[in-house]
Amino acid sequence: MEITSNAGTYSANSRQQTPTQTDYQTFLNMLTVQIQNQDPLNPMDPSDFAVQLATFSSVEQQTYTNQLLSSMLGQTGLADLGGWVGMEARIYGGAHFDGTPIALTPDPALGADEVNLIVRDSTGAIVDTRSLDPETQSYSWDGLDRDGAALPEGTYSFELESKLEGDTLDSQPVAAYMPVLEARFEGGMTLLVLPGGLYVDSTQVTGLRRPLA
């Protein structure tokens, strides 16, 4: 059985990771002290501040989302999860492509002036790279490679690389919306069955929506 998580597709006995819990006010205080104590003859490059802010903003947003979903799932049993069947779950770690475009939810780093979507196949090989608008929040991947040829059916993962003036600000996985086919309880986990034989721990779902018309 394969289960998909924020870190990618893994087996049921794989080790899971959780995002670092960080205090936003403490971070701002540290950044203020850093600015106050920088060498006036050799000040920090503004792009370095942008990198720090973008990285922390991404971690904070994901932490808040995971806390919210965990709170919801703490009050939800398997019977209630049955209501998720037929819905679309927002997940990280890969999605099955069967010829139908995949709905992605890219989250470019704050201040980025260049954003690239990187697509890998199940072996980890890069099969597509394309430029996105830095303001893009949703994107439909059509399953074409860099030469415009249709890629075969299979599982693909997505990364987003954000840059500012040529320097990499951030590189993060991109979540995709996939239909929930079934909910089941196995190995102490409530699993959602997705297309392509993928399984995802329900606690790893970061969003839920009705299928778009």
Side-chain angles (χ1 to χ4, degrees):
M1 176 193 303
E2 285 190 329
I3 304 176
T4 174
S5 74
N6 291 359
T9 301
Y10 63 103
S11 62
N13 60 356
S14 295
R15 182 179 181 180
Q16 299 184 39
Q17 298 179 340
T18 58
T20 302
Q21 303 296 316
T22 313
D23 182 72
Y24 187 58
Q25 187 60 49
T26 300
F27 174 79
L28 291 181
N29 291 340
M30 293 174 61
L31 185 61
T32 300
V33 173
Q34 182 180 4
I35 294 174
Q36 292 174 339
N37 292 278
Q38 64 180 328
D39 184 352
L41 299 179
N42 184 29
M44 181 177 287
D45 191 307
S47 63
D48 291 336
F49 287 121
V51 172
Q52 294 181 42
L53 287 170
T55 301
F56 183 82
S57 177
S58 176
V59 172
E60 186 202 20
Q61 181 179 9
Q62 187 59 51
T63 297
Y64 176 76
T65 300
N66 287 350
Q67 289 175 336
L68 180 61
L69 265 295
S70 294
S71 176
M72 292 172 59
L73 287 168
Q75 306 174 32
T76 304
L78 181 60
D80 294 321
L81 279 176
W84 290 24
V85 176
M87 302 284 278
E88 291 183 338
R90 182 176 182 269
I91 62 167
Y92 289 89
H96 183 75
F97 175 68
D98 60 3
T100 303
I102 296 176
L104 304 178
T105 59
D107 185 18
L110 182 67
D113 59 12
E114 180 184 349
V115 174
N116 297 308
L117 175 67
I118 301 171
V119 184
R120 299 178 185 272
D121 62 17
S122 58
T123 69
I126 296 177
V127 295
D128 183 26
T129 302
R130 59 184 69 181
S131 176
L132 301 184
D133 188 293
E135 301 298 323
T136 301
Q137 296 295 313
S138 62
Y139 185 78
S140 180
W141 182 65
D142 53 16
L144 302 181
D145 64 16
R146 284 172 286 193
D147 298 322
L151 289 164
E153 181 174 345
T155 300
Y156 295 87
S157 59
F158 310 90
E159 302 170 22
L160 198 68
E161 183 182 60
S162 300
K163 295 184 177 182
L164 176 61
E165 298 180 351
D167 295 326
T168 299
L169 291 176
D170 195 20
S171 182
Q172 294 287 341
V174 179
Y177 273 103
M178 296 298 293
V180 178
L181 305 180
E182 180 185 349
R184 62 173 65 171
F185 187 78
E186 290 186 8
M189 296 187 297
T190 302
L191 304 178
L192 303 179
V193 183
L194 308 176
L198 297 179
Y199 291 73
V200 61
D201 185 341
S202 60
T203 62
Q204 298 296 323
V205 174
T206 59
L208 198 66
R209 72 180 187 186
R210 297 184 183 280
L212 300 179

